[in-house]
Amino acid sequence: GSGGVCIADEVQTGLGRFGKYYWGFEQQNVHPDIVTIGKPFGNGFPLAAVVCRKEIADSFTNGMEFFTTFGGNPVACAAGLAVLDTIEKNGLQNHALVTGNYLKERLVLLKNSPAEDSQGRKVGRLIGEVRGCGFFQGVEFVRDQLTKEPATAEVSVITTRMLRDYNILTTVDGAFDNVLVIKPPMRFNSKDVDYFVDSLTIVLTSLGNIDPSQVSKTPT
């Protein structure tokens, strides 16, 4: 009613990754005017798409020139159709739901684990919250469970060790760079979950005390 346009960016969250929802905006129960779809749409092939209401598309027929060098080529279209078919035929949305639930369950168990490190501290003490769903989850790390002081330096060390010691590539996000983002390939399975969480557990157990002044930001 106010004239605003709702744009849903589904570049990372769409195409069944949320498990329960095919599109991320469905989780918020909104009806966007424009939806953008990107990299996963081509599964490695350069492909993106914009879906919008007809009246928005019609607003571009005003004499303004719009073109794209590679737009609408048949090879890209074939790649996109193959991705959509694979998601449906292989049940990848439900796979993301089931495996994502298992991932979250194991991460929450790690957060509340009574296991201790060599200094007698709980292994999961730095985990403030596990959030998200399906194959798009985040683990927030904090130095204090009450004040929620961001464990930014610790997360930098954690991501570095996960990659260096276990060949696990993760990303860091959040306003304070203290959220470990987990967004694996859609073929990620329960064995992969176990390897990921077991590796994270070992890293947390051996983390020790981190001096923030001695840690550089991990690029992601």
Side-chain angles (χ1 to χ4, degrees), residues 45-132:
F45 193 93
L47 174 64
V50 176
V51 182
C52 62
R53 292 188 291 108
K54 185 176 186 303
E55 50 265 44
I56 292 179
D58 289 343
S59 68
F60 284 90
T61 60
N62 57 5
M64 178 179 67
E65 182 180 6
F66 174 80
F67 74 94
T68 170
T69 303
F70 302 107
N73 74 80
V75 178
C77 292
L81 289 172
V83 168
L84 296 178
D85 287 343
T86 300
I87 292 173
E88 181 178 357
K89 291 178 180 178
N90 293 354
L92 293 183
Q93 181 180 353
N94 185 67
H95 174 72
L97 172 64
V98 174
T99 309
N101 286 341
Y102 178 56
L103 171 63
K104 195 167 192 177
E105 176 185 322
R106 285 222 51 190
L107 289 170
V108 171
L109 286 174
L110 174 58
K111 176 183 184 300
N112 301 319
S113 173
E116 298 179 345
D117 62 14
S118 60
Q119 299 181 35
R121 301 172 302 183
K122 287 188 176 181
V123 172
R125 71 189 184 283
L126 293 175
I127 300 179
E129 184 182 21
V130 179
R131 52 180 178 257

Side-chain angles (χ1 to χ4, degrees), residues 119 121 125 207-211:
Q119 299 181 35
R121 301 172 302 183
R125 71 189 184 283
L207 192 61
N209 295 316
I210 302 299
D211 181 358

